[in-house]
């Protein structure tokens, strides 16, 4: 089979609907020749139903990144689907969550418990997921790609999720530093806003999205996850063999615009 990811085995987290970037990453990865395994949290039947919309139905593994038993058993459960001695070539981290009181303009009044949840699920999980799968990744070298939202600036309504994304960016750099000797790369794709289920959980999302309507040099379509998904697939491929610790912006150019 030919394709950018021919013969590769990729695990994709965060597929909840077919409007998500993660779903389009899984679809494109399959179209480019990869074997894909998905993880789901909570509503597994929903993820399984969405998995049937891929070009080839992908197996779904339950994963709560706050559950150490899930993390400890993850490599073994992935191996059940891929086969012994095969390993993984890529992991897509598309996991993020902040309680409602950590978003929407409540920054000054958010308690530590909610902040801790946002940071653990949205940033620390990049490390815990990668380490859980490292026995499979280091067999052939691999690529870890996380989904980011530019944390260089403070965004309207994004609040502690913005802080969590800054932590995600730093976590990615430290993983890149420490895993390079194992030939494992870690990079992020910083995408512009997409009208996904995750976006619906952000109070005032429309105010955030309006920034792209007025400032993106390249027209940005809030309903099109494919440009960001293509960026992820490119980083999963062998075309970036010596790129690590990088943040690739797929945001229509908003990140580089001044006032």
């Amino acid at each position: 089979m030919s394709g950018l990811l021919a013969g590769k085995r990729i695990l994709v987290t965060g597929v909840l609907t077919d409007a998500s970037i993660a779903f389009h990453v899984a679809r494109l990865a399959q179209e480019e020749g990869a074997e894909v395994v998905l993880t789901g949290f909570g509503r597994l039947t929903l993820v399984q139903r969405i998995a049937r919309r891929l070009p080839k139905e992908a197996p779904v593994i339950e994963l709560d990144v706050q559950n150490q038993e899930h993390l400890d058993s993850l490599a073994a459960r992935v191996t059940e689907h891929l086969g012994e001695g095969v390993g993984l070539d890529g992991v897509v981290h598309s996991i993020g969550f902040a309680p409602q009181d950590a978003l929407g303009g409540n920054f000054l009044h958010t308690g530590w418990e909610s902040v801790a949840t946002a940071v653990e699920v949205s940033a620390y999980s990049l490390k815990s997921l990668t380490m859980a799968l490292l026995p499979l990744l280091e067999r052939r070298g691999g690529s870890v790609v996380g989904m980011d939202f530019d944390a260089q600036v403070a965004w309207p309504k994004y609040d502690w999720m913005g802080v969590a994304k800054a932590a995600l960016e730093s976590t990615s750099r430290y993983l890149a530093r420490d895993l390079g000797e194992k030939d494992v790369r870690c990079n992020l794709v910083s995408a512009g806003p997409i009208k996904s289920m995750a976006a619906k959980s952000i109070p005032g999302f429309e105010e955030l999205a309006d920034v792209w309507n007025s400032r993106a040099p390249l027209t940005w379509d809030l309903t099109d996850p494919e440009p960001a998904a293509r960026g992820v697939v490119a980083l999963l491929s062998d075309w970036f063999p010596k790129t690590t610790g990088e943040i690739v912006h797929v945001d229509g150019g908003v990140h580089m615009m001044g006032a």
Side-chain angles (χ1 to χ4, degrees):
M1 179 183 290
S2 62
L4 200 61
L5 301 181
K8 293 192 179 296
R9 296 162 179 86
I10 308 293
L11 180 133
V12 180
T13 67
V15 173
L16 190 55
T17 73
D18 55 8
S20 68
I21 295 173
F23 174 85
H24 287 269
V25 169
R27 175 182 62 79
L28 287 169
Q30 286 187 343
E31 291 174 355
E32 292 295 332
E35 184 175 355
V36 172
V37 176
L38 306 180
T39 71
F41 169 64
R43 292 173 285 182
L44 280 190
T45 54
L46 174 59
V47 181
Q48 289 164 345
R49 185 162 67 247
I50 297 300
R52 289 194 284 271
R53 299 181 186 176
L54 292 168
K56 177 184 177 182
E57 184 176 353
V60 178
I61 296 173
E62 184 178 15
L63 176 63
D64 175 359
V65 291
Q66 292 183 291
N67 185 321
Q68 193 59 47
E69 291 182 2
H70 283 194
L71 291 166
D72 290 344
S73 64
L74 183 58
R77 289 183 289 144
V78 171
T79 298
E80 289 177 5
H81 293 285
L82 297 181
E84 289 289 342
V86 171
L88 271 175
D89 300 285
V91 175
V92 178
H93 178 279
S94 185
I95 299 169
F97 171 76
Q100 285 295 294
D101 66 331
L103 297 162
N106 196 48
F107 183 85
L108 296 178
H109 306 290
T110 306
W112 168 244
E113 185 175 353
S114 293
V115 172
T117 297
V119 172
E120 180 183 8
V121 176
S122 307
Y124 182 79
S125 65
L126 179 64
K127 193 279 293 189
S128 55
L129 175 66
T130 301
M131 293 306 294
L133 294 169
L134 188 58
L136 303 182
L137 284 167
E138 63 184 349
R139 291 178 183 175
R140 308 199 306 180
S143 175
V144 177
V145 184
M147 294 307 308
D148 188 24
F149 191 77
D150 197 331
Q152 297 178 90
V153 296
W155 295 105
K157 310 297 185 182
Y158 209 46
D159 295 356
W160 286 100
M161 182 58 89
V163 176
K165 290 298 186 182
L168 176 73
E169 293 177 1
S170 186
T171 300
S172 178
R173 288 189 287 268
Y174 279 96
L175 282 171
R177 181 197 69 180
D178 290 350
L179 297 181
E181 64 182 12
K182 299 181 183 296
D183 200 26
V184 174
R185 296 168 280 138
C186 189
N187 296 287
L188 300 177
V189 168
S190 180
I194 297 294
K195 285 186 176 180
S196 62
M197 186 160 296
K200 292 178 182 178
S201 69
I202 302 174
F205 173 79
E206 294 300 332
E207 182 179 341
L208 183 63
D210 280 345
V211 174
W212 267 257
N213 293 332
S214 61
R215 298 188 67 195
L218 297 173
T219 302
W220 185 256
D221 185 349
L222 293 167
T223 66
D224 185 8
E226 185 155 331
R230 286 180 176 272
V232 175
V233 169
L235 287 169
L236 290 170
S237 78
D238 293 332
W239 282 95
F240 291 88
K242 299 300 179 184
T243 298
T244 195
E246 186 61 85
I247 301 173
V248 176
H249 289 84
V250 185
D251 65 352
V254 166
H255 73 281
M256 58 83 184
M257 293 293 290

